[in-house]
Amino acid sequence: MKLKLNGEYAGRHLFVTLLMVGLCGWFGYDGFVRYPATPAAALYKSIEGSDAPDGFDLEAFKAQKTKTQYGFTFLTLFVALVVGSRLAKSARFQFEFDDEGYVYRGRRHAYSDIKKVDRSKWEKKGIIKVNGIELDSWHHLGVKEFVEKLDALKV
C-alpha cells in the first residue's frame, strides 16, 4: 500500500497558502502603489474616517502606514512560502509497504531491518517514527494501516 496525501490536510494548507498570497498582493498593492499615489491628507481620511487634527504630521503618518503595508506584504509572503513548502514536502513524500517490508526513497527495507520504533506521539498525534522516518497520519492516508501491520508483526 502506498501512502497518499490526506485531502483534508492538503485542502486546508492550500487554502491558507492561497489566502496568504492574496493578502500579500493586497498589502503589496497598498504599500507600493496606492499609498504612495495618495495625498497624505486623503490617506489619513480614508484610514481614520475623519480629517486630521490641526498640526498633525500627515507625511509621517503616510510614511508609517506605508512601511506597515511593506511589513504585512513580506510577512504574508513568508507565511505563504512556509505553509506552501510544507505542503509540497508532504506531497513529494514517498512511502509504501506490503507484507514483506517497506520502500522509502526508492530503497526496499524488510521489516526485520527495523531497529527503532518511536510510538511516543502515536496516541496523541498519530505520528510514528520507524528507523528515523516520521510518518504522520494527518499528512498521509495509510499510516494507520502501516502501524497495524507493525502491530501484527509485533515490531
Side-chain angles (χ1 to χ4, degrees):
M1 174 179 205
K2 188 174 185 175
L3 298 188
K4 295 178 184 165
L5 189 63
N6 181 348
E8 183 180 356
Y9 164 83
R12 287 181 183 197
H13 280 68
L14 183 60
F15 173 77
V16 170
T17 300
L18 294 175
L19 176 65
M20 291 296 117
V21 167
L23 287 171
C24 176
W26 183 338
F27 294 131
Y29 177 78
D30 279 353
F32 291 100
V33 178
R34 183 172 162 253
Y35 285 14
T38 304
L43 182 62
Y44 183 93
K45 189 167 188 166
S46 74
I47 292 173
E48 300 298 327
S50 64
D51 290 328
D54 291 336
F56 188 80
D57 187 350
L58 290 171
E59 291 305 319
F61 174 84
K62 179 178 177 176
Q64 184 271 328
K65 292 300 180 184
T66 302
K67 285 180 187 176
T68 299
Q69 294 305 89
Y70 295 159
F72 284 141
T73 298
F74 295 114
L75 177 64
T76 53
L77 177 61
F78 176 73
V79 171
L81 290 172
V82 169
V83 175
S85 296
R86 287 192 56 178
L87 177 58
K89 181 181 176 187
S90 294
R92 288 190 313 268
F93 185 80
Q94 298 290 316
F95 187 93
E96 54 188 282
F97 64 97
D98 55 25
D99 291 335
E100 286 79 42
Y102 63 92
V103 177
Y104 176 66
R105 291 189 176 166
R107 291 188 51 197
R108 184 118 177 96
H109 303 272
Y111 289 116
S112 60
D113 295 339
I114 296 176
K115 295 184 183 5
K116 184 174 182 185
V117 177
D118 179 358
R119 296 172 186 256
S120 62
K121 296 180 184 177
W122 179 247
E123 291 301 319
K124 284 190 175 182
K125 296 190 174 199
I127 298 171
I128 189 168
K129 286 186 181 178
V130 177
N131 284 350
I133 305 164
E134 185 173 279
L135 304 172
D136 190 327
S137 62
W138 166 235
H139 297 179
H140 296 93
L141 302 175
V143 175
K144 290 178 185 175
E145 290 80 358
F146 180 69
V147 171
E148 290 170 2
K149 174 68 76 179
L150 294 178
D151 291 342
L153 296 170
K154 302 204 187 314
V155 175

